[in-house]
Amino acid sequence: MIPLTEAQQVVLDRCAPLGTVTLPLVEALGCVTAGAVTAAEAVPAFDNTAMDGYAVRAADTASAPVTLEVVGTLAAGAAPERAVGASEAVRIMTGAPIPPGADAVIMVERTRALEGGGRVVAEASVPAGNHVRRAGEDLQAGTVVFQPGEVLQPAHVGVLAGLGIHAVEVVRRPRVGVVSTGDELVDGPEPLALGQVRDSNRYSLLSLVSEAGLEGVDLGLVRDDPEAIRAAIARGVETCDAVLTSGGVSMGDYDCVKVVLDEMGEMSWMQVAIKPAKPFAFGLVGGTPVFGLPGNTVSSMVSFELLARPALRQMMGHTQLHRPRVQATAAAPLRRRPDGKIHFARVVWSYSGGRYEVRSAGGQGSHQLSALAAANGLAVLADGHGAEPGDVVELIRLHEFSRGGWHR
């Protein structure tokens, strides 16, 4: 067996970032910027009001309460038609430009309209600049807004749109083909014959690919037939940037995937010192990365999480490849047996009182997918007997919530 870190490095060394592409903003969420993005204009472009109220000269309110003459109304999107003079005010709505002559806004809640709105009483004094949003207060023209390598989140997309940028150059999102193999697998709701199981791996892996911000391609379910496996992998290599297979990578007599991949590419066959997901294969077929994941349902997903996902994120331009790990306290026993491997226990975590707590999400067998569905994290258990209540363990947070399982 080899350490997990060694297997991860084998993969990362051969999965370089892809080329760049210019995408419309609506398609760029989760992508990584390929170059710096510079603001061509100021945001906001003009001085405007942060409140509904009256644009005034601050000096006119110094002896409040004072009565001012209302000489106009200014809505958002409209341009001022006249300046504000001494003892005058303009009724103004949030976002409207500050008219010439005015240097402050008094919010409507601190005023009292008179004579049907022809005059207004300013009931409080306000300083110059009150509730005024200055031009360029958010961004100045010429500012580098985003550096290369920025992961575009919803707020980033909003910033770009606010600058009038409706397409952005990013590292291309990998297309990832997913194929399941095995004579025992069936797809669909038909009754199972003895010895048959339904193919869940393909659907789980395609979902993991999508969750990671990648484009999944369904390469189908293939029998344990070398020619059929070869054709599916060849189709994936021709149309995708990476291929995931599940099943057929162990040492059994019917593990056809191993035979076919050895013929098609330069493969590394590994026994990784982890549980689940010990058997793992990786290599290049025609220059395309191919990940051979185990056939057991939990093993295939954990193998993706620990070995494939970081490499695919690297291909997409990410520099933060692995999920963050945090320290957590075991709220119940997390037991295991010594076997020379690191165990990744499926757990449910909660956070309260400034600390994480974890407990088992259920059965830990590599075939027990329901426990992984109930989990929202993996507890990293070093070789030994596991953790007792109160022990500190390392936690990989997979997602925030889990409906099934334990919550504090």
Side-chain angles (χ1 to χ4, degrees):
M1 294 188 296
I2 65 171
L4 173 62
T5 52
E6 182 178 331
Q8 289 171 328
Q9 198 60 52
V10 168
V11 176
L12 293 174
D13 285 345
R14 305 184 78 179
C15 290
L18 300 178
T20 65
V21 64
T22 299
L23 292 180
L25 288 189
V26 293
E27 299 177 15
L29 181 67
C31 290
V32 176
T33 54
V37 179
T38 302
E41 59 192 33
V43 179
F46 50 86
D47 292 354
N48 67 90
T49 175
M51 292 284 182
D52 290 343
Y54 292 87
V56 298
R57 295 187 178 197
D60 288 340
T61 70
S63 58
V66 296
T67 301
L68 306 174
E69 183 182 359
V70 179
V71 296
T73 298
L74 196 54
E81 296 181 352
R82 57 159 291 176
V84 175
S87 297
E88 293 181 341
V90 167
R91 181 81 167 91
I92 194 168
M93 311 305 168
T94 302
I98 302 296
D103 61 1
V105 172
I106 182 169
M107 62 193 300
V108 69
E109 290 86 349
R110 294 191 174 185
T111 66
R112 177 165 45 88
L114 301 175
E115 300 171 3
R119 293 192 302 161
V120 66
V121 177
E123 296 183 325
S125 62
V126 293
N130 192 62
H131 297 316
V132 176
R133 299 187 292 209
R134 297 297 183 188
E137 190 175 288
D138 189 9
L139 293 171
Q140 294 283 345
T143 300
V144 176
V145 181
F146 302 130
Q147 296 286 352
E150 192 85 34
V151 182
L152 295 177
Q153 303 296 342
H156 297 80
V157 173
V159 167
L160 294 174
L163 288 167
I165 299 172
H166 285 269
V168 61
E169 186 181 13
V170 296
V171 180
R172 188 162 60 80
R173 196 189 306 270
R175 283 170 51 88
V176 183
V178 179
V179 58
S180 286
T181 67
D183 285 341
E184 75 280 12
L185 299 179
V186 297
D187 197 0
E190 293 77 13
L192 297 175
L194 184 62
Q196 291 183 327
V197 294
R198 303 191 196 281
D199 177 24
S200 61
N201 286 6
R202 204 164 88 255
Y203 296 95
S204 297
L205 291 171
L206 284 166
S207 298
L208 285 170
V209 166
S210 178
E211 182 201 42
L214 315 166
E215 181 182 350
V217 178
D218 188 354
L219 298 176
L221 169 59
V222 180
R223 303 298 172 199
D224 286 325
D225 174 73
E227 290 309 312
I229 293 171
R230 184 177 288 105
I233 294 173
R235 187 168 70 255
V237 166
E238 290 169 4
T239 59
C240 301
D241 302 298
V243 174
L244 304 174
T245 72
S246 67
V249 296
S250 293
M251 307 300 291
D253 293 339
Y254 295 94
D255 288 333
C256 298
V257 174
K258 185 176 190 302
V259 175
V260 172
L261 285 177
D262 273 336
E263 294 173 353
M264 295 182 72
E266 305 169 11
M267 301 299 299
S268 296
W269 299 91
M270 306 174 224
Q271 297 294 311
V272 187
I274 58 176
K275 183 179 180 178
K278 183 178 75 168
F280 173 70
F282 174 77
L284 302 181
V285 175
T288 299
V290 176
F291 301 81
L293 310 182
N296 280 319
T297 54
V298 174
S299 296
S300 68
M301 293 185 71
V302 172
S303 187
F304 177 91
E305 176 66 36
L306 298 176
L307 292 157
R309 185 178 184 273
L312 294 170
R313 283 175 60 83
Q314 181 168 272
M315 292 174 68
M316 194 177 173
H318 288 275
T319 54
Q320 178 61 52
L321 304 182
H322 304 277
R323 296 187 197 268
R325 298 188 179 195
V326 297
Q327 299 296 302
T329 302
L334 296 171
R335 296 197 175 100
R336 52 155 296 175
R337 294 180 179 178
D339 59 5
K341 294 178 279 193
I342 297 173
H343 286 206
F344 291 86
R346 280 72 78 196
V347 296
V348 176
W349 60 263
S350 67
Y351 184 81
S352 63
R355 70 174 187 172
Y356 291 92
E357 289 187 344
V358 295
R359 66 171 62 195
S360 174
Q364 298 295 312
S366 59
H367 61 297
Q368 293 175 294
L369 189 56
S370 61
L372 185 53
N376 59 359
L378 298 173
V380 184
L381 303 178
D383 192 24
H385 294 280
E388 296 297 328
D391 289 349
V392 175
V393 298
E394 204 169 30
L395 167 67
I396 301 174
R397 287 175 34 172
L398 298 179
H399 51 81
E400 293 294 325
F401 304 109
S402 175
R403 289 185 180 274
W406 171 77
H407 294 274
R408 193 175 185 83

